[in-house]
Amino acid sequence: MGRVPEVVLRGRGVVFRLEAYAVRVMRGRITWTVPLGAIDRVGYAGGRVLLELSADADANANADGSDSGAFTLVTRNATAADAFVRQLRTALTRLPASGRGPARVVREVARRRVPRLPRISAGGKIALGIVPYLAFFKVAGDKGAEEGIGVLVAVIMLYGPVGWLMLYIGWTEVVRDTLVLRRRGITVPGHIRDYEGHRISEDRGEWRPVYEFRTLEGQHLVVTQPAGHEHQGEKGPVDVTYDPLSPTRVRSFRDKRLTVRGIALTFFGVLSVVLMVIPLWLFFAALLTG
């Protein structure tokens, strides 16, 4: 009998990873490897996925550091939870009778890694540029009522399109997809096979990862992420989250830089559009007051 596709479920600091013959439960630096033969049943209700262990495995689980003979994951992504439960139940039905019985749950604690100092991201560079940006609007606000239409037109022509562009890029390429995938995305093992893009300067570029993965329905996909980074990252295995309603919408949430970039672009896009209204308000206020 064939193996079921692997799937990953995340929620509230806990990860359930269904592999060939076991479920890995990860919480912080602790990982429990639970053989399929040690699992009694799995269910999803009230936003919780409950992984109950058999009576034979219960003692081993307690001895290895879990609080009880069950593991719980809380998630609001019902689509991903249903997919995980369905795949695990299928794997349990395919488990031969000889595979059931006493099974040891292995607990491992990873070493604490010292984090490296991060490089300044695109969001950080935008944040550094906000100081002269706000200074310009301060001057425009002070001069708006006096110089009238000249400052108004300059602000609208310069910062209006820039703000709308940042808002559009941040929302469509990052925030919207992130929200959709957090709500109903399904995570499966995949890998980054390459990076597409071009070099802008000697030390900067626009590089988009190319993901290769297989959906739970067995569809093999190679998808290029619409948004990229300044530098190419590492190639190799990575968890890929895809939208079951639109499988070409993908993201790897291991890389936090893209989320930071999207939030920064959206925030400063909204800020620039809002602040664009200030000289407009001052101008019309001056007209109305004579």
Side-chain angles (χ1 to χ4, degrees):
M1 291 178 287
R3 290 163 45 185
V4 299
E6 298 180 2
V7 62
V8 182
L9 181 65
R10 304 176 185 274
R12 300 281 182 89
V14 179
V15 179
F16 284 176
R17 178 184 292 272
L18 173 59
E19 299 181 345
Y21 303 105
V23 174
R24 292 188 185 272
V25 180
M26 289 166 277
R27 185 173 60 204
R29 295 188 297 127
I30 304 177
T31 299
W32 290 269
T33 301
V34 185
L36 294 183
I39 299 174
D40 186 27
R41 56 181 176 271
V42 60
Y44 174 63
R48 294 176 179 270
V49 176
L50 184 64
L51 192 68
E52 297 187 39
L53 306 183
S54 63
D56 293 326
D58 194 349
N60 289 330
N62 284 321
D64 284 332
S66 66
D67 296 331
S68 65
F71 294 96
T72 303
L73 183 148
V74 180
T75 179
R76 292 185 294 178
N77 188 336
T79 304
D82 289 338
F84 177 85
V85 171
R86 183 174 63 253
Q87 294 301 111
L88 179 52
R89 286 175 175 171
T90 301
L92 292 177
T93 59
R94 296 182 181 181
L95 189 67
S98 58
R100 294 189 175 275
R104 183 171 183 266
V105 178
V106 179
R107 176 178 180 267
E108 299 174 302
V109 180
R111 290 184 176 181
R112 188 180 299 276
R113 294 182 296 178
V114 178
R116 294 180 297 177
L117 293 177
R119 303 181 62 174
I120 298 178
S121 63
K125 293 176 182 177
I126 294 175
L128 292 176
I130 194 63
V131 176
Y133 185 80
L134 292 178
F136 176 88
F137 274 104
K138 178 65 168 61
V139 174
D142 293 339
K143 300 292 185 179
E146 300 175 3
E147 300 182 10
I149 194 67
V151 173
L152 173 63
V153 171
V155 171
I156 292 178
M157 290 184 63
L158 179 61
Y159 284 97
V162 172
W164 283 112
L165 180 62
M166 286 194 298
L167 184 59
Y168 174 80
I169 294 175
W171 174 257
T172 58
E173 291 191 354
V174 183
V175 178
R176 181 191 61 188
D177 286 355
T178 300
L179 293 176
V180 170
L181 292 173
R182 290 291 189 189
R183 186 176 70 250
R184 66 172 184 239
I186 295 176
T187 304
V188 295
H191 72 273
I192 299 177
R193 59 184 294 178
D194 202 355
Y195 284 85
E196 292 183 355
H198 60 280
R199 188 171 298 280
I200 299 175
S201 63
E202 184 176 347
D203 60 345
R204 294 182 61 248
E206 179 69 17
W207 304 103
R208 298 171 296 163
V210 180
Y211 298 115
E212 183 174 11
F213 62 99
R214 189 176 297 276
T215 67
L216 294 186
E217 291 73 26
Q219 183 180 8
H220 178 265
L221 293 176
V222 177
V223 182
T224 302
Q225 185 172 270
H229 308 294
E230 291 186 359
H231 305 278
Q232 296 189 43
E234 297 180 356
K235 301 178 183 178
V238 66
D239 290 341
V240 179
T241 302
Y242 72 94
D243 182 1
L245 301 183
S246 179
T248 56
R249 173 182 284 147
V250 299
R251 180 68 44 79
S252 171
F253 288 104
R254 183 186 69 179
D255 192 346
K256 305 298 182 184
R257 294 176 299 170
L258 191 61
T259 302
V260 173
R261 169 185 171 180
I263 294 175
L265 285 174
T266 303
F267 174 77
F268 291 119
V270 171
L271 182 65
S272 62
V273 171
V274 171
L275 293 181
M276 185 187 70
V277 179
I278 293 178
L280 181 64
W281 176 78
L282 291 173
F283 176 67
F284 283 106
L287 290 180
L288 294 176
T289 58

